Amino acid sequence: MIDDVQMVLQPSTVGESAYQRIRSDIVFGRLLPGKKLKLDRLKADYGASVSTLRETLNRLHSERLVVAEGQKGFEVAPVSIANLRELAALRQLLECRALEQSFRAGDMEWEGRVVAAHHRLARMEERMADGDRAHTEEWKRYDWQFHQALISACGSKMLIDNHAAVFDKYLRYQMIALSYRGEIAAREHALLLECALERDAKRACEVLTRHVAGGVEHALATGTIS
């Protein structure tokens, strides 16, 4: 009976693993925009069957991280300045709404999560400021964890899920540009922490709006996105 259960679950587990790995490689820029996603190569790289990979790529296509080329197959979704600006505007809208709700409902445990997440991020920002670029992905993961902690008490799974989807697409642009704004971004993160502890949602939204807009302009200034 146990073997039967494992046989049923294994394809789902392999498929989920392939999905998570390919998605991560796209979001973190290891698979660049426009790269052809050939099934034979993906099979070798991710250890999944062709049918599983087709299902995975269709799933990523529904998330607009992959585009289909008719009978030619799939490729990583392209990037554009217009798309980056649209994603930034959506992130500002969703995250501000979630901040307002989270600041109203957050308890002591929520405060603890926010403080701990900011501590990890701030330490990594210090390393980045010192010129250490060996842990760029870890830095961005801590960045994501801090922003997620801020909105984690908003009480809406749908809002959190939609924010996460937009944040990941926005993150992809940052990874492509390898954009680090240094002290400015670190100071804005510290201000967001301060706003959270003071439950000042209005000021937090103002800081967040500047934070996201500044990230967009800094990324565009690198000339890596057109």
Side-chain angles (χ1 to χ4, degrees), residues 191-210:
L191 286 172
L192 286 170
L193 172 63
E194 183 179 298
C195 291
L197 297 179
E198 294 177 355
R199 300 297 202 274
D200 190 342
K202 180 179 178 181
R203 184 178 175 221
C205 285
E206 292 171 354
V207 174
L208 177 73
T209 299
R210 293 200 309 271

Side-chain angles (χ1 to χ4, degrees), residues 18 22 35-58 60 66-67 69-75:
I22 295 172
K35 181 175 177 59
K36 305 292 184 184
L37 298 171
K38 298 182 178 179
L39 292 173
D40 288 344
R41 179 60 186 270
L42 293 177
K43 181 179 178 180
D45 290 344
Y46 297 97
S49 68
V50 169
S51 60
T52 295
L53 288 168
R54 283 201 182 96
E55 182 179 341
T56 294
L57 293 177
N58 279 313
L60 292 168
V66 163
V67 295
E69 297 185 287
Q71 300 300 317
K72 296 181 180 179
F74 297 89
E75 65 179 40

Side-chain angles (χ1 to χ4, degrees), residues 4 39 41 54 58 70 79 94 99 106 140 155 178 220:
D4 290 342
L39 292 173
R41 179 60 186 270
R54 283 201 182 96
N58 279 313
V79 295
L94 293 170
L99 284 173
K140 293 313 301 180
L178 292 176
L220 292 179

Side-chain angles (χ1 to χ4, degrees), residues 82-130:
N83 183 241
L84 172 56
R85 293 194 184 282
E86 184 177 10
L87 288 169
L90 279 171
R91 181 186 165 189
Q92 290 167 333
L93 179 67
L94 293 170
E95 197 163 334
C96 278
R97 177 60 175 167
L99 284 173
E100 292 168 358
Q101 296 180 190
S102 195
F103 283 18
R104 282 199 301 268
D107 56 14
M108 289 295 290
E109 289 187 3
W110 168 77
E111 284 191 9
R113 291 197 301 273
V114 172
V115 170
H118 180 264
H119 175 73
R120 291 190 295 269
L121 174 59
R123 292 297 298 272
M124 186 57 67
E125 286 175 328
E126 290 174 4
R127 295 174 66 174
M128 295 291 290
D130 289 337

Side-chain angles (χ1 to χ4, degrees), residues 158-171:
M158 182 175 294
L159 181 52
I160 288 175
D161 287 349
N162 278 285
H163 170 265
V166 171
F167 192 103
D168 282 354
K169 293 182 179 71
Y170 176 84
L171 170 59

